[in-house]
Short mmCIF file of all heavy atoms in Angstrom, two decimals:
data_model
loop_
_atom_site.label_atom_id
_atom_site.label_comp_id
_atom_site.label_asym_id
_atom_site.label_seq_id
_atom_site.Cartn_x
_atom_site.Cartn_y
_atom_site.Cartn_z
N VAL A 360 18.94 -97.98 -69.92
CA VAL A 360 19.34 -96.96 -70.90
C VAL A 360 19.79 -95.69 -70.19
O VAL A 360 20.83 -95.10 -70.52
CB VAL A 360 18.18 -96.65 -71.87
CG1 VAL A 360 18.51 -95.42 -72.72
CG2 VAL A 360 17.90 -97.85 -72.76
N LEU A 361 19.03 -95.28 -69.18
CA LEU A 361 19.36 -94.07 -68.43
C LEU A 361 20.66 -94.26 -67.64
O LEU A 361 21.53 -93.38 -67.63
CB LEU A 361 18.21 -93.75 -67.47
CG LEU A 361 18.19 -92.35 -66.84
CD1 LEU A 361 18.12 -91.27 -67.92
CD2 LEU A 361 17.00 -92.22 -65.89
N ALA A 362 20.81 -95.42 -67.01
CA ALA A 362 22.00 -95.69 -66.20
C ALA A 362 23.26 -95.80 -67.06
O ALA A 362 24.34 -95.40 -66.63
CB ALA A 362 21.80 -96.96 -65.38
N ASP A 363 23.12 -96.34 -68.28
CA ASP A 363 24.28 -96.46 -69.18
C ASP A 363 24.84 -95.10 -69.59
O ASP A 363 25.99 -95.00 -70.03
CB ASP A 363 23.90 -97.25 -70.44
CG ASP A 363 23.91 -98.76 -70.19
OD1 ASP A 363 24.60 -99.18 -69.23
OD2 ASP A 363 23.26 -99.49 -70.94
N LYS A 364 24.06 -94.06 -69.43
CA LYS A 364 24.52 -92.71 -69.75
C LYS A 364 25.22 -92.05 -68.57
O LYS A 364 25.57 -90.87 -68.61
CB LYS A 364 23.33 -91.84 -70.18
CG LYS A 364 22.68 -92.31 -71.48
CD LYS A 364 21.45 -91.46 -71.82
CE LYS A 364 20.80 -91.95 -73.12
NZ LYS A 364 19.58 -91.17 -73.44
N GLY A 365 25.42 -92.83 -67.50
CA GLY A 365 26.09 -92.31 -66.33
C GLY A 365 25.18 -91.63 -65.34
O GLY A 365 25.63 -91.00 -64.38
N LYS A 366 23.86 -91.74 -65.54
CA LYS A 366 22.89 -91.08 -64.68
C LYS A 366 22.60 -91.93 -63.45
O LYS A 366 22.39 -93.13 -63.55
CB LYS A 366 21.59 -90.85 -65.46
CG LYS A 366 20.46 -90.25 -64.64
CD LYS A 366 20.66 -88.78 -64.38
CE LYS A 366 19.41 -88.15 -63.80
NZ LYS A 366 19.01 -88.71 -62.49
N THR A 367 22.61 -91.32 -62.27
CA THR A 367 22.15 -91.99 -61.06
C THR A 367 20.63 -92.00 -61.08
O THR A 367 19.99 -90.94 -61.14
CB THR A 367 22.64 -91.25 -59.80
OG1 THR A 367 24.07 -91.25 -59.80
CG2 THR A 367 22.13 -91.94 -58.54
N VAL A 368 20.05 -93.17 -61.05
CA VAL A 368 18.61 -93.31 -61.18
C VAL A 368 17.97 -93.21 -59.80
O VAL A 368 18.21 -94.04 -58.92
CB VAL A 368 18.24 -94.64 -61.86
CG1 VAL A 368 16.73 -94.72 -62.08
CG2 VAL A 368 18.97 -94.78 -63.18
N THR A 369 17.13 -92.20 -59.61
CA THR A 369 16.47 -91.98 -58.33
C THR A 369 15.03 -92.49 -58.38
O THR A 369 14.52 -92.88 -59.43
CB THR A 369 16.45 -90.48 -57.99
OG1 THR A 369 15.61 -89.80 -58.94
CG2 THR A 369 17.85 -89.88 -58.06
N ASP A 370 14.36 -92.44 -57.24
CA ASP A 370 12.94 -92.80 -57.19
C ASP A 370 12.12 -91.88 -58.10
O ASP A 370 11.12 -92.31 -58.69
CB ASP A 370 12.41 -92.68 -55.76
CG ASP A 370 12.80 -93.87 -54.89
OD1 ASP A 370 13.30 -94.86 -55.45
OD2 ASP A 370 12.60 -93.80 -53.67
N VAL A 371 12.53 -90.62 -58.20
CA VAL A 371 11.83 -89.68 -59.08
C VAL A 371 11.91 -90.17 -60.52
O VAL A 371 10.90 -90.19 -61.25
CB VAL A 371 12.44 -88.27 -58.97
CG1 VAL A 371 11.74 -87.31 -59.92
CG2 VAL A 371 12.35 -87.76 -57.54
N ASP A 372 13.12 -90.55 -60.96
CA ASP A 372 13.29 -91.07 -62.32
C ASP A 372 12.45 -92.33 -62.53
O ASP A 372 11.81 -92.50 -63.58
CB ASP A 372 14.77 -91.39 -62.59
CG ASP A 372 15.66 -90.18 -62.46
OD1 ASP A 372 15.38 -89.17 -63.11
OD2 ASP A 372 16.64 -90.25 -61.69
N LEU A 373 12.46 -93.20 -61.53
CA LEU A 373 11.69 -94.44 -61.65
C LEU A 373 10.20 -94.14 -61.81
O LEU A 373 9.52 -94.77 -62.64
CB LEU A 373 11.92 -95.32 -60.42
CG LEU A 373 11.11 -96.61 -60.33
CD1 LEU A 373 11.38 -97.50 -61.54
CD2 LEU A 373 11.41 -97.35 -59.03
#
Side-chain angles (χ1 to χ4, degrees):
V360 170
L361 195 60
D363 279 338
K364 295 177 181 178
K366 176 75 170 62
T367 299
V368 184
T369 67
D370 281 350
V371 178
D372 300 306
L373 176 59

